[in-house]
Amino acid sequence: MTEKQIGVAIIGLSANAKTAWARVAHLPYLLSNPHYRIVALLNSSVESAQAAIKEFQLPSDVAAYGDPKDLAKDPNVHLVVCSVRVDRHAETVIPSLEAGKSCFVEWPLAKDLQEAEKLNQIA
């Protein structure tokens, strides 16, 4: 990663989901833009993240996580792209927000107004 590149983590890039936004929109854009470098994946398990790294032929130094708290500790991650079911948005991005990372969350932001307000307060 160069100094000018933004280290990106993708939450929810599954090797099994053939039509998910992470696969058909976020990944192609992030790979084609020289300002970004994918440095980590977070899935439901480390094994699932490792499978996605292999499936999408990402560099071997991309970190694989199964726990949002572990992802939040990664100093190479500056931007988190969240592409999971809406009921999982808050639990997967809150640790990264609390760690001071920027987060892009697919719409809708949260499952209800209370959860959206909580995310807003943390950010």
Side-chain angles (χ1 to χ4, degrees), residues 7-78:
V8 180
I10 301 176
I11 300 174
L13 179 63
S14 171
N16 298 325
K18 303 302 181 198
T19 60
W21 278 107
R23 178 188 194 114
V24 299
H26 302 310
L27 181 64
Y29 174 76
L30 292 168
L31 290 174
S32 71
N33 190 315
H35 299 290
Y36 300 108
R37 181 159 191 284
I38 298 171
V39 297
L41 297 184
L42 170 68
N43 282 350
S44 57
S45 69
V46 171
E47 294 78 17
S48 174
Q50 289 170 335
I53 290 167
K54 183 177 178 181
E55 169 75 17
F56 299 108
Q57 301 175 357
L58 298 175
S60 60
D61 63 345
V62 172
Y65 295 105
D67 185 327
K69 292 176 185 172
D70 294 333
L71 172 67
K73 295 174 189 173
D74 188 327
N76 294 315
V77 173
H78 305 105

Side-chain angles (χ1 to χ4, degrees), residues 3 30 33-34 39 45-46 48 51 64 71 87-88 101 103 105 107 109 117:
E3 266 186 49
L30 292 168
N33 190 315
V39 297
S45 69
V46 171
S48 174
L71 172 67
D87 62 317
R88 305 249 355 255
K101 299 184 187 305
C103 294
V105 180
W107 60 271
L109 176 61
E117 287 174 341

